[in-house]
mmCIF file of all heavy atoms in Angstrom:
data_model
loop_
_atom_site.group_PDB
_atom_site.id
_atom_site.type_symbol
_atom_site.label_atom_id
_atom_site.label_comp_id
_atom_site.label_asym_id
_atom_site.label_seq_id
_atom_site.Cartn_x
_atom_site.Cartn_y
_atom_site.Cartn_z
ATOM 1 N N ASP A 1008 -37.375 -9.232 -28.232
ATOM 2 C CA ASP A 1008 -38.561 -10.067 -28.050
ATOM 3 C C ASP A 1008 -39.538 -9.333 -27.144
ATOM 4 O O ASP A 1008 -39.248 -9.066 -25.981
ATOM 5 C CB ASP A 1008 -38.164 -11.411 -27.436
ATOM 6 C CG ASP A 1008 -39.317 -12.394 -27.371
ATOM 7 O OD1 ASP A 1008 -40.423 -12.053 -27.831
ATOM 8 O OD2 ASP A 1008 -39.104 -13.505 -26.854
ATOM 9 N N LEU A 1009 -40.717 -9.009 -27.667
ATOM 10 C CA LEU A 1009 -41.740 -8.327 -26.882
ATOM 11 C C LEU A 1009 -42.619 -9.323 -26.123
ATOM 12 O O LEU A 1009 -43.449 -8.932 -25.324
ATOM 13 C CB LEU A 1009 -42.617 -7.457 -27.780
ATOM 14 C CG LEU A 1009 -41.910 -6.301 -28.495
ATOM 15 C CD1 LEU A 1009 -42.880 -5.555 -29.380
ATOM 16 C CD2 LEU A 1009 -41.260 -5.374 -27.497
ATOM 17 N N GLY A 1010 -42.420 -10.579 -26.378
ATOM 18 C CA GLY A 1010 -43.213 -11.629 -25.752
ATOM 19 C C GLY A 1010 -43.912 -12.463 -26.811
ATOM 20 O O GLY A 1010 -44.215 -11.975 -27.911
ATOM 21 N N CYS A 1011 -44.138 -13.710 -26.487
ATOM 22 C CA CYS A 1011 -44.810 -14.643 -27.411
ATOM 23 C C CYS A 1011 -44.093 -14.721 -28.753
ATOM 24 O O CYS A 1011 -44.728 -14.822 -29.816
ATOM 25 C CB CYS A 1011 -46.269 -14.266 -27.610
ATOM 26 S SG CYS A 1011 -47.249 -14.333 -26.111
ATOM 27 N N ASN A 1012 -42.770 -14.625 -28.730
ATOM 28 C CA ASN A 1012 -41.941 -14.675 -29.938
ATOM 29 C C ASN A 1012 -42.321 -13.597 -30.957
ATOM 30 O O ASN A 1012 -42.259 -13.811 -32.160
ATOM 31 C CB ASN A 1012 -41.978 -16.058 -30.579
ATOM 32 C CG ASN A 1012 -41.191 -17.061 -29.780
ATOM 33 O OD1 ASN A 1012 -40.196 -16.713 -29.158
ATOM 34 N ND2 ASN A 1012 -41.634 -18.295 -29.786
ATOM 35 N N PHE A 1013 -42.721 -12.441 -30.486
ATOM 36 C CA PHE A 1013 -43.005 -11.297 -31.336
ATOM 37 C C PHE A 1013 -41.823 -10.351 -31.216
ATOM 38 O O PHE A 1013 -41.591 -9.769 -30.164
ATOM 39 C CB PHE A 1013 -44.308 -10.610 -30.905
ATOM 40 C CG PHE A 1013 -44.705 -9.476 -31.788
ATOM 41 C CD1 PHE A 1013 -45.199 -9.710 -33.055
ATOM 42 C CD2 PHE A 1013 -44.559 -8.168 -31.353
ATOM 43 C CE1 PHE A 1013 -45.558 -8.657 -33.878
ATOM 44 C CE2 PHE A 1013 -44.909 -7.114 -32.161
ATOM 45 C CZ PHE A 1013 -45.414 -7.362 -33.431
ATOM 46 N N PHE A 1014 -41.053 -10.216 -32.309
ATOM 47 C CA PHE A 1014 -39.816 -9.446 -32.294
ATOM 48 C C PHE A 1014 -39.985 -8.132 -33.047
ATOM 49 O O PHE A 1014 -40.721 -8.058 -34.035
ATOM 50 C CB PHE A 1014 -38.674 -10.241 -32.940
ATOM 51 C CG PHE A 1014 -38.215 -11.405 -32.117
ATOM 52 C CD1 PHE A 1014 -38.826 -12.648 -32.238
ATOM 53 C CD2 PHE A 1014 -37.178 -11.270 -31.213
ATOM 54 C CE1 PHE A 1014 -38.413 -13.725 -31.483
ATOM 55 C CE2 PHE A 1014 -36.749 -12.344 -30.445
ATOM 56 C CZ PHE A 1014 -37.373 -13.560 -30.583
ATOM 57 N N VAL A 1015 -39.292 -7.117 -32.563
ATOM 58 C CA VAL A 1015 -39.204 -5.841 -33.274
ATOM 59 C C VAL A 1015 -37.734 -5.474 -33.396
ATOM 60 O O VAL A 1015 -36.912 -5.886 -32.581
ATOM 61 C CB VAL A 1015 -39.967 -4.709 -32.536
ATOM 62 C CG1 VAL A 1015 -41.456 -4.971 -32.510
ATOM 63 C CG2 VAL A 1015 -39.431 -4.498 -31.138
ATOM 64 N N GLN A 1016 -37.412 -4.721 -34.433
ATOM 65 C CA GLN A 1016 -36.035 -4.273 -34.605
ATOM 66 C C GLN A 1016 -35.799 -3.054 -33.727
ATOM 67 O O GLN A 1016 -36.657 -2.191 -33.594
ATOM 68 C CB GLN A 1016 -35.772 -3.930 -36.063
ATOM 69 C CG GLN A 1016 -35.771 -5.149 -36.962
ATOM 70 C CD GLN A 1016 -35.428 -4.800 -38.393
ATOM 71 O OE1 GLN A 1016 -35.347 -3.631 -38.765
ATOM 72 N NE2 GLN A 1016 -35.226 -5.827 -39.196
ATOM 73 N N ALA A 1017 -34.617 -3.019 -33.128
ATOM 74 C CA ALA A 1017 -34.261 -1.899 -32.264
ATOM 75 C C ALA A 1017 -32.844 -1.462 -32.584
ATOM 76 O O ALA A 1017 -32.024 -2.245 -33.056
ATOM 77 C CB ALA A 1017 -34.369 -2.303 -30.799
ATOM 78 N N GLU A 1018 -32.579 -0.201 -32.329
ATOM 79 C CA GLU A 1018 -31.242 0.339 -32.530
ATOM 80 C C GLU A 1018 -30.797 0.992 -31.220
ATOM 81 O O GLU A 1018 -31.497 1.823 -30.654
ATOM 82 C CB GLU A 1018 -31.238 1.374 -33.654
ATOM 83 C CG GLU A 1018 -29.855 1.842 -34.012
ATOM 84 C CD GLU A 1018 -29.862 2.719 -35.249
ATOM 85 O OE1 GLU A 1018 -30.443 2.300 -36.255
ATOM 86 O OE2 GLU A 1018 -29.280 3.804 -35.159
ATOM 87 N N VAL A 1019 -29.632 0.575 -30.745
ATOM 88 C CA VAL A 1019 -29.077 1.113 -29.510
ATOM 89 C C VAL A 1019 -28.017 2.137 -29.899
ATOM 90 O O VAL A 1019 -27.048 1.802 -30.580
ATOM 91 C CB VAL A 1019 -28.465 -0.010 -28.643
ATOM 92 C CG1 VAL A 1019 -27.877 0.564 -27.366
ATOM 93 C CG2 VAL A 1019 -29.500 -1.081 -28.343
ATOM 94 N N GLU A 1020 -28.232 3.372 -29.465
ATOM 95 C CA GLU A 1020 -27.320 4.453 -29.819
ATOM 96 C C GLU A 1020 -25.955 4.291 -29.146
ATOM 97 O O GLU A 1020 -24.913 4.505 -29.759
ATOM 98 C CB GLU A 1020 -27.924 5.810 -29.422
ATOM 99 C CG GLU A 1020 -29.184 6.173 -30.176
ATOM 100 C CD GLU A 1020 -28.913 6.485 -31.632
ATOM 101 O OE1 GLU A 1020 -27.834 7.014 -31.955
ATOM 102 O OE2 GLU A 1020 -29.802 6.193 -32.447
ATOM 103 N N ASP A 1021 -25.959 3.941 -27.858
ATOM 104 C CA ASP A 1021 -24.717 3.846 -27.091
ATOM 105 C C ASP A 1021 -24.687 2.506 -26.345
ATOM 106 O O ASP A 1021 -25.196 2.406 -25.229
ATOM 107 C CB ASP A 1021 -24.616 5.007 -26.094
ATOM 108 C CG ASP A 1021 -23.322 4.962 -25.294
ATOM 109 O OD1 ASP A 1021 -22.367 4.271 -25.732
ATOM 110 O OD2 ASP A 1021 -23.267 5.613 -24.235
ATOM 111 N N PRO A 1022 -24.070 1.467 -26.934
ATOM 112 C CA PRO A 1022 -24.047 0.159 -26.274
ATOM 113 C C PRO A 1022 -22.934 0.016 -25.225
ATOM 114 O O PRO A 1022 -22.635 -1.084 -24.790
ATOM 115 C CB PRO A 1022 -23.824 -0.804 -27.444
ATOM 116 C CG PRO A 1022 -23.056 -0.018 -28.438
ATOM 117 C CD PRO A 1022 -23.545 1.404 -28.293
ATOM 118 N N SER A 1023 -22.343 1.152 -24.806
ATOM 119 C CA SER A 1023 -21.253 1.058 -23.831
ATOM 120 C C SER A 1023 -21.767 0.853 -22.404
ATOM 121 O O SER A 1023 -21.005 0.498 -21.516
ATOM 122 C CB SER A 1023 -20.374 2.307 -23.891
ATOM 123 O OG SER A 1023 -21.123 3.435 -23.477
ATOM 124 N N ARG A 1024 -23.057 1.078 -22.173
ATOM 125 C CA ARG A 1024 -23.664 0.859 -20.860
ATOM 126 C C ARG A 1024 -24.906 -0.019 -21.047
ATOM 127 O O ARG A 1024 -25.676 0.184 -21.972
ATOM 128 C CB ARG A 1024 -24.028 2.173 -20.189
ATOM 129 C CG ARG A 1024 -22.774 3.032 -19.952
ATOM 130 C CD ARG A 1024 -23.000 4.197 -19.024
ATOM 131 N NE ARG A 1024 -23.309 3.881 -17.639
ATOM 132 C CZ ARG A 1024 -22.416 3.469 -16.731
ATOM 133 N NH1 ARG A 1024 -21.169 3.277 -17.081
ATOM 134 N NH2 ARG A 1024 -22.773 3.256 -15.484
ATOM 135 N N ILE A 1025 -25.060 -0.984 -20.137
ATOM 136 C CA ILE A 1025 -26.197 -1.896 -20.217
ATOM 137 C C ILE A 1025 -26.836 -2.031 -18.834
ATOM 138 O O ILE A 1025 -26.226 -1.691 -17.822
ATOM 139 C CB ILE A 1025 -25.782 -3.291 -20.728
ATOM 140 C CG1 ILE A 1025 -24.742 -3.918 -19.795
ATOM 141 C CG2 ILE A 1025 -25.263 -3.219 -22.156
ATOM 142 C CD1 ILE A 1025 -24.422 -5.362 -20.116
ATOM 143 N N PHE A 1026 -28.060 -2.540 -18.828
ATOM 144 C CA PHE A 1026 -28.744 -2.849 -17.574
ATOM 145 C C PHE A 1026 -28.629 -4.348 -17.336
ATOM 146 O O PHE A 1026 -28.934 -5.152 -18.211
ATOM 147 C CB PHE A 1026 -30.217 -2.433 -17.642
ATOM 148 C CG PHE A 1026 -30.415 -0.953 -17.529
ATOM 149 C CD1 PHE A 1026 -30.457 -0.160 -18.659
ATOM 150 C CD2 PHE A 1026 -30.555 -0.353 -16.282
ATOM 151 C CE1 PHE A 1026 -30.635 1.203 -18.557
ATOM 152 C CE2 PHE A 1026 -30.731 1.011 -16.176
ATOM 153 C CZ PHE A 1026 -30.774 1.799 -17.312
ATOM 154 N N VAL A 1027 -28.201 -4.708 -16.124
ATOM 155 C CA VAL A 1027 -27.998 -6.105 -15.771
ATOM 156 C C VAL A 1027 -28.936 -6.462 -14.617
ATOM 157 O O VAL A 1027 -29.030 -5.721 -13.636
ATOM 158 C CB VAL A 1027 -26.528 -6.361 -15.350
ATOM 159 C CG1 VAL A 1027 -26.319 -7.808 -14.955
ATOM 160 C CG2 VAL A 1027 -25.579 -5.968 -16.470
ATOM 161 N N ALA A 1028 -29.625 -7.600 -14.751
ATOM 162 C CA ALA A 1028 -30.486 -8.081 -13.669
ATOM 163 C C ALA A 1028 -29.595 -8.585 -12.539
ATOM 164 O O ALA A 1028 -28.785 -9.485 -12.733
ATOM 165 C CB ALA A 1028 -31.386 -9.200 -14.180
ATOM 166 N N VAL A 1029 -29.739 -7.981 -11.362
ATOM 167 C CA VAL A 1029 -28.896 -8.360 -10.228
ATOM 168 C C VAL A 1029 -29.651 -9.213 -9.212
ATOM 169 O O VAL A 1029 -29.079 -9.667 -8.233
ATOM 170 C CB VAL A 1029 -28.293 -7.122 -9.527
ATOM 171 C CG1 VAL A 1029 -27.321 -6.404 -10.457
ATOM 172 C CG2 VAL A 1029 -29.364 -6.183 -9.030
ATOM 173 N N GLY A 1030 -30.915 -9.434 -9.440
ATOM 174 C CA GLY A 1030 -31.705 -10.277 -8.550
ATOM 175 C C GLY A 1030 -32.877 -9.535 -7.948
ATOM 176 O O GLY A 1030 -32.887 -8.299 -7.884
ATOM 177 N N PHE A 1031 -33.879 -10.289 -7.534
ATOM 178 C CA PHE A 1031 -35.089 -9.752 -6.904
ATOM 179 C C PHE A 1031 -35.784 -8.714 -7.767
ATOM 180 O O PHE A 1031 -36.412 -7.789 -7.255
ATOM 181 C CB PHE A 1031 -34.774 -9.180 -5.522
ATOM 182 C CG PHE A 1031 -34.240 -10.192 -4.557
ATOM 183 C CD1 PHE A 1031 -32.902 -10.185 -4.209
ATOM 184 C CD2 PHE A 1031 -35.062 -11.164 -4.025
ATOM 185 C CE1 PHE A 1031 -32.393 -11.129 -3.326
ATOM 186 C CE2 PHE A 1031 -34.567 -12.113 -3.146
ATOM 187 C CZ PHE A 1031 -33.234 -12.092 -2.797
#
């Protein structure tokens, strides 16, 4: 979701690592 319900297709090469929101 790029915002305002506008979606694009994406491909993740390596889903073994992700970014997690930890706060602030």
Side-chain angles (χ1 to χ4, degrees):
D1008 187 2
L1009 297 178
C1011 298
N1012 287 328
F1013 184 73
F1014 289 88
V1015 294
Q1016 291 183 351
E1018 187 172 309
V1019 179
E1020 295 290 327
D1021 181 18
S1023 65
R1024 298 193 66 76
I1025 60 172
F1026 285 92
V1027 179
V1029 294
F1031 299 107

